[in-house]
Amino acid sequence: MHHRDKVLIVDDEQAIVELMGLYLKSDYDVIPAYSGQEALDKVKAEKPDIILLDVMMPDMNGYEVCRVLKTSVETQFLPVVMVTALSGKDDRIKGIEVGADEFLGKPVNRLELVTRVKSLLRIKHLQDKVLAERNEAMNYLDIAGFVVFVLDGDMKINLVNRKGNEVLGYDEFELIGHDFVKFLVPEEKCTELQDELTKIISGESEPPEFAEHVVLAKDGKEIPMRWYDVVLMDDDGEITGILRSGEDLSKFE
């Protein structure tokens, strides 16, 4: 059976929800919501593929809903289209600041609506494919028994595999966004390791063959690790971060 994407339409005016639903229902499964809180509840329950979100709503406005979605690891890549009668530059900037992916003016033009939804869903499907391939690669690393971290240019944790969470005692998304050195390395070792990683990220030095240092588990226990670092680069060859794979040495003690 052909998969139909789900479109969550959020507006406190029922007529607008029904009109946009009429434009889209031949190609998508349409989910209505009439308030900001109902929208967040529907996101959890229905797992939509895209959201059309009104800005001016009485209980929780569209900016607040968008901010909640874009600051959650589980929904940060969910496309959000702000649908608004507001046309000021400041209103659009505010939408961009909270993470909106697109904007549509009211009254909604049918062709523009269909085109924007189709375009954003195409991008989402590509992102989903990349994430699925990444997760498959991470599963191989889990099987191999290595702890894996991806750090950005500021040494913030962007990704940690299942084995990493398991060894350190954290829940799935608990480490995301934390500074690797400041959060996981004993204070007396922080400065030295920060200097070493900074030189690697800046391109000043190459990663060593391996490095050994302890990390702190959630319960405060020090776990000795052997680390293998690989620099990550963008399409222009600029260093964007580090992939750190670590072997738990305590199992050999």
Side-chain angles (χ1 to χ4, degrees), residues 19-246:
L19 180 62
M20 288 195 288
L22 183 65
Y23 291 160
L24 297 169
K25 68 179 184 179
S26 62
D27 295 311
Y28 308 103
D29 289 339
V30 173
I31 305 164
Y34 302 100
S35 70
Q37 186 56 56
E38 185 183 2
L40 294 177
D41 293 340
K42 288 285 181 71
V43 168
K44 289 182 180 179
E46 302 286 350
K47 301 289 190 295
D49 297 287
I50 189 170
I51 301 178
L52 304 176
L53 181 61
D54 181 34
V55 171
M56 304 302 292
M57 293 184 290
D59 63 332
M60 178 187 291
N61 66 41
Y63 298 128
E64 293 169 328
V65 174
C66 188
R67 182 182 290 109
V68 170
L69 294 171
K70 293 299 185 176
T71 54
S72 168
V73 174
E74 296 178 345
T75 55
Q76 62 181 328
F77 297 121
L78 180 62
V80 176
V81 180
M82 306 293 280
V83 184
T84 176
L86 302 174
S87 57
K89 181 179 178 181
D90 290 344
D91 299 309
R92 185 172 286 261
I93 290 173
K94 191 172 181 180
I96 292 171
E97 287 175 343
V98 297
D101 297 279
E102 263 292 3
F103 299 87
L104 280 175
K106 288 183 178 179
V108 173
N109 176 276
R110 180 173 187 165
L111 178 59
E112 187 178 11
L113 171 65
V114 171
T115 301
R116 296 282 176 86
V117 168
K118 185 176 181 180
S119 176
L120 285 172
L121 284 173
R122 186 185 303 115
I123 294 170
K124 181 181 183 294
H125 293 156
L126 290 173
Q127 287 178 329
D128 289 345
K129 183 179 179 181
V130 170
L131 288 172
E133 290 173 350
R134 184 204 69 182
N135 290 338
E136 184 177 357
M138 296 301 280
N139 286 335
Y140 285 127
L141 291 168
D142 285 333
I143 294 169
F146 278 85
V147 168
V148 178
F149 285 86
V150 173
L151 312 183
D152 65 16
D154 296 319
M155 283 178 269
K156 297 287 195 305
I157 299 169
N158 280 355
L159 184 148
V160 54
N161 70 336
R162 189 183 304 114
K163 185 68 176 179
N165 287 315
E166 178 186 309
V167 168
L168 298 180
Y170 286 93
D171 293 331
E172 184 177 0
F173 300 111
E174 206 171 348
L175 287 169
I176 303 301
H178 286 288
D179 185 298
F180 178 88
V181 176
K182 294 177 182 177
F183 197 72
L184 292 178
V185 177
E187 188 175 353
E188 64 273 14
K189 299 289 186 182
C190 279
T191 302
E192 180 183 354
L193 181 59
Q194 188 142 15
D195 289 345
E196 291 173 2
L197 294 180
T198 298
K199 288 179 180 178
I200 293 172
I201 290 173
S202 67
E204 187 178 337
S205 64
E206 295 287 330
E209 183 179 352
F210 65 86
E212 293 185 0
H213 67 78
V214 301
V215 287
L216 296 172
K218 189 174 183 178
D219 62 6
K221 179 182 177 182
E222 292 191 357
I223 301 176
M225 303 284 296
R226 177 174 293 145
W227 296 96
Y228 304 88
D229 294 332
V230 177
V231 294
L232 302 173
M233 297 184 179
D234 61 19
D235 292 339
D236 297 320
E238 297 292 326
I239 296 174
T240 59
I242 299 177
L243 186 149
R244 310 203 80 205
S245 55

